[in-house]
């Protein structure tokens, strides 16, 4: 939904039907929609019985000339969905589609039923008084797709589902009215925190309306797969791979492992593993559908005396407890949810030598400050290992790039790490950083707000580090731990005829650059900054020339990869400073020099501001370009404003009529699926 700039009512698009009404749009991408006239593979035809399909309402003897609301409800219950097409109602009530359509039209005329047209898709019908019907929790299961839709879930239901299912999407705007789409994936079953499959199935049954043999059978099979291979340390010190049976060793391990992965067979079910190939063994068997239990006896190195000095929130305590049980995992949560503090609590709990890997020197310095602020660690026990300093200490903070280099690798390999922490864990799958994942430690911890990569390599992240641990974003928004941002896509027109013509005659990457650098965006940025004069603002760009132009026009500093590290650190420090405000940037003054101690209200930043840089007082984010980037990048930029208190505003500028429109919608759709409200506005010509 879009609106003209001056007439837009932000509440105008706030009316949402329950989640299943949006089911068609949500499942079109996978081709699994049940809303059409043609049954899918998971929707039995009239003459195909299924143990997963409820018994249809008994058909009447004759075609109904009128349809009661109760009979319509029966058809919906049989469909296991709160809406239906005319053909679905006809099938459930044993009549023709034309008769059902006429009967539904009569219900619409009486005001008992509403209809929804979804462009070229079939018209769907749902009860007008759905609000009253949906005041209680409704759980709708699609067992063969292993998906669960829940309207108005209780905290109990959400807590149970989070143990064995992945939150895919949410709809709605107001807390307490949202619908949730969960999917049970094999990796969720593998990582479920239960002692046996029976306990997992009991938890599943506690939230579903009835038993589903097909789904439960699949879950039991996946549980067995997760406990078929085990790595352990032999009493003589070498690593052994044990399979649950001789056939598994012969038919799975031998077929999926290379000859250099195993040194020699020990028995029909055990083999001596090449220690340098442990990571490859785990990855190969994971890809074959058999996650490996890693029970090796690994040293934790010298003890590290660290105590946490900050109280954990309840969900952070759960993260740490879950991690200690598994000895590996990835803390997943929105910016501001306290992943770093939870990681420091984990370091204290493990109590062994720790290596923290980060993507940049700025993050290395920031980690040192966080450790000192939230724990009793001795400053002398913290070492920084990057391009500027080379220190190995009980807690060492290094960049991925340095740790992966051959000339430094042997040093890191020689240490007995009790814990390796991978900050911004999505980096671990990139070729230049992937060698760091082979470093061995007793515990492996990842941190990421959005581990999604456009290559679809989330599973590889979890293979190399551990399974996801975390609360869903929407739960943290509702509990008030993190401020939900207000996100608005603003479609900016071309106001410069020369720029418009240049764009029209260009193609490829040049066209994308011209759309990103639309001169009208500078005036739009100036307008937004003036409208929010009291807020600390970050302006994100992709192209350096555009960043310099915006910074010059606004009279504010520009931070990019070309900015010297000492200058970058000083600018970030002054942005975090809430002392005397500088007038630069809001009135077009030239940027003041680094010699002054004035606070900075506005920074223009390139991709160096996307990840991890702690700017806790950022209240306003304006994305001027970079819309061709990943969904993860969009979430990271929006996340710069997400903190426990205060307002959080994100404006995404997209040139109207260009590919930026689609890119913006794709990036923000990723946030919308996490419960963040996104609205769209057409900026006036």
């Amino acid at each position: 939904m879009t609106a003209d700039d001056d007439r837009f009512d932000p509440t105008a698009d706030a009316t949402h039907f329950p989640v299943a009404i949006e089911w068609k749009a949500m499942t079109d991408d996978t081709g699994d929609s049940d809303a059409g006239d043609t049954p899918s593979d998971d929707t039995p035809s009239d003459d195909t019985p299924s143990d997963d399909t409820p018994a249809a309402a008994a058909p009447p003897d004759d075609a109904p000339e009128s349809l009661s609301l109760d009979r319509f409800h029966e058809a919906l219950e049989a469909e296991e969905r709160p809406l239906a097409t005319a053909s679905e109602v006809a099938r459930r009530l044993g009549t023709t589609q034309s008769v059902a359509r006429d009967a539904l039209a009569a219900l619409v005329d009486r005001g008992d039923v509403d209809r929804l047209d979804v462009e070229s898709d079939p018209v769907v019908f749902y009860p007008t008084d759905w609000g009253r019907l949906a005041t209680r929790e409704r759980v709708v299961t699609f067992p063969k797709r292993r998906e669960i839709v829940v309207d108005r879930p209780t905290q109990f239901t959400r807590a149970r589902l989070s143990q064995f299912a992945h939150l895919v999407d949410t709809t709605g705007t107001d807390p307490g009215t949202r619908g949730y789409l969960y999917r049970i994936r094999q990796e969720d079953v593998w990582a479920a925190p239960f002692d046996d499959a029976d306990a997992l199935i009991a938890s599943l049954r506690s939230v579903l309306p009835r038993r589903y043999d097909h789904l439960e059978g699949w879950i039991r099979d996946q549980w067995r797969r997760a406990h078929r291979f085990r790595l352990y340390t032999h009493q003589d010190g070498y690593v052994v791979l044990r399979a649950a049976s001789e056939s598994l060793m012969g038919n799975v391990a031998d077929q999926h492992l290379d000859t250099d992965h195993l040194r020699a067979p020990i028995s029909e079910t055990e083999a001596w593993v090449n220690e340098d190939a442990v990571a490859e063994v785990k990855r190969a068997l994971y890809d074959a559908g058999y996650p490996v239990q890693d029970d090796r006896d690994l040293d934790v190195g010298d003890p590290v005396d660290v105590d946490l000095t900050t109280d954990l929130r309840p969900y952070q305590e759960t993260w740490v407890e879950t991690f200690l049980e598994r000895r590996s995992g990835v803390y997943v949560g929105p910016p501001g949810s306290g992943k770093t503090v939870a990681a420091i609590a984990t370091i204290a709990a493990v109590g062994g030598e720790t290596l923290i890997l980060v993507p940049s020197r700025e993050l290395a310095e920031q980690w040192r400050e966080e450790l000192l602020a939230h724990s009793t660690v001795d400053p002398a026990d913290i070492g920084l290992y990057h391009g500027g300093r080379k220190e190995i200490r009980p807690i060492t903070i290094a960049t991925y790039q340095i740790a992966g280099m051959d000339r430094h690798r042997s040093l890191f390999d020689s240490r007995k790490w009790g814990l390796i922490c991978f900050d911004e864990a999505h980096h671990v799958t990139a070729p230049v950083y992937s060698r760091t994942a082979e470093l061995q430690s007793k515990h492996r911890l990842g941190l990421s707000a959005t581990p999604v990569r456009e290559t679809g390599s989330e599973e590889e992240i979890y293979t190399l580090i551990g399974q996801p641990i975390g609360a869903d974003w929407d739960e943290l928004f509702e509990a008030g731990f993190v401020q939900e941002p207000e996100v608005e896509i603003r479609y900016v027109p071309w106001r410069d005829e020369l720029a418009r013509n240049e764009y029209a005659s260009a193609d490829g990457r040049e066209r994308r650059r011209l759309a990103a650098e639309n001169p009208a965006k500078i005036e739009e940025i100036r307008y937004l900054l003036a409208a929010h004069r009291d807020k600390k603002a970050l302006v994100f760009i992709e192209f350096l020339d555009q960043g310099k132009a915006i910074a010059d026009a606004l009279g504010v500093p520009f931070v990019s990869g070309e900015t010297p590290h000492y200058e970058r650190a000083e600018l970030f420090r002054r942005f975090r400073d809430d002392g005397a405000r500088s007038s630069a940037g809001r009135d077009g003054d030239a940027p003041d020099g680094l010699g002054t101690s004035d606070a900075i209200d506005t920074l223009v930043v390139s991709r160096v501001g996307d990840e991890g840089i702690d700017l806790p007082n950022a209240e306003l984010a304006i994305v001027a370009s970079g819309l061709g980037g990943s969904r993860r990048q969009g979430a990271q930029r929006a996340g710069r404003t997400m903190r426990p208190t205060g307002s959080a505003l994100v404006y995404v500028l997209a040139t109207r009529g260009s590919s930026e429109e689609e890119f913006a919608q794709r990036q923000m759709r990723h946030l919308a699926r996490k419960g963040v409200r996104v609205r769209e506005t057409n900026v006036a010509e």
Side-chain angles (χ1 to χ4, degrees), residues 137 139 148 156-157 160-161 164 202-209:
E137 175 182 272
V139 179
I148 302 167
F156 172 83
T157 297
R160 284 299 176 93
L161 287 171
F164 54 79
S203 184
L204 174 78
R205 290 175 179 173
S206 70
V207 295
L208 299 190

Side-chain angles (χ1 to χ4, degrees), residues 167-182:
L167 178 64
V168 176
D169 212 341
T170 63
T171 65
T173 56
D174 298 324
T177 66
R178 289 176 173 144
Y180 296 75
L181 168 62
Y182 290 89

Side-chain angles (χ1 to χ4, degrees), residues 98-113:
S98 61
V99 170
R101 185 183 297 111
D102 291 343
L104 287 166
L107 286 177
V108 171
D109 291 341
R110 285 183 4 217
D112 292 333
V113 168

